[in-house]
């Protein structure tokens, strides 16, 4: 079934002390979700479970991201998490802070 992207939210998250890519990614997704409100479902009479959500995560070590933990942050729809090379490792006072970026896309089926 054809679909269209209706929503995109972006944010960043940081793990200051643990050098944990998943923790930074979780924080980025949580920050993006804080800015998202989806009244469109009630307006259009669409079930939230019909949406497809794609979460792009940019971190220095994409293979280290726990995609199930990230997917668990999204309460509705079918969720795909796509870790990608990006973000930053930032030296801070003898430690390394990890910065992640997230882009959350929401797709809905096109209704005729």
């Amino acid at each position: 079934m054809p679909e269209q992207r209706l929503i995109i939210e972006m944010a960043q998250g940081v793990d200051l002390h643990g050098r944990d890519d998943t923790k930074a990614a979780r924080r980025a997704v949580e920050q993006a979700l804080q800015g998202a409100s989806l009244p469109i479902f009630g307006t259009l009479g669409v079930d939230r479970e019909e949406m497809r959500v794609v979460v792009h995560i940019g971190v220095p070590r994409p293979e280290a991201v726990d995609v199930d933990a990230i997917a668990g942050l999204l309460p509705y729809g079918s969720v795909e998490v796509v870790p990608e090379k990006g973000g930053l490792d930032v030296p801070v006072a003898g430690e390394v802070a990890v910065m992640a970026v997230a882009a959350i896309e929401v797709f809905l089926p096109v209704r005729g």
Side-chain angles (χ1 to χ4, degrees), residues 33-81:
L33 290 174
Q34 287 177 7
S37 176
L38 305 178
I40 191 168
F41 294 104
T43 302
L44 298 178
V46 175
D47 183 349
R48 291 182 229 190
E49 292 303 326
E50 290 185 51
M51 74 175 150
R52 183 172 69 91
V53 182
V54 180
V55 181
H56 297 273
I57 299 291
V59 290
R61 289 159 295 282
E63 68 283 353
V65 173
D66 180 344
V67 295
D68 292 331
I70 302 303
L73 297 172
L74 287 293
Y76 305 108
S78 64
V79 179
E80 175 187 5
V81 178

Side-chain angles (χ1 to χ4, degrees), residues 4-7 38 41 51-53 104-108:
Q4 67 185 60
R5 182 177 67 191
L6 295 179
I7 300 155
L38 305 178
F41 294 104
M51 74 175 150
R52 183 172 69 91
V53 182
I104 302 174
E105 299 176 289
V106 175
F107 297 86
L108 285 176

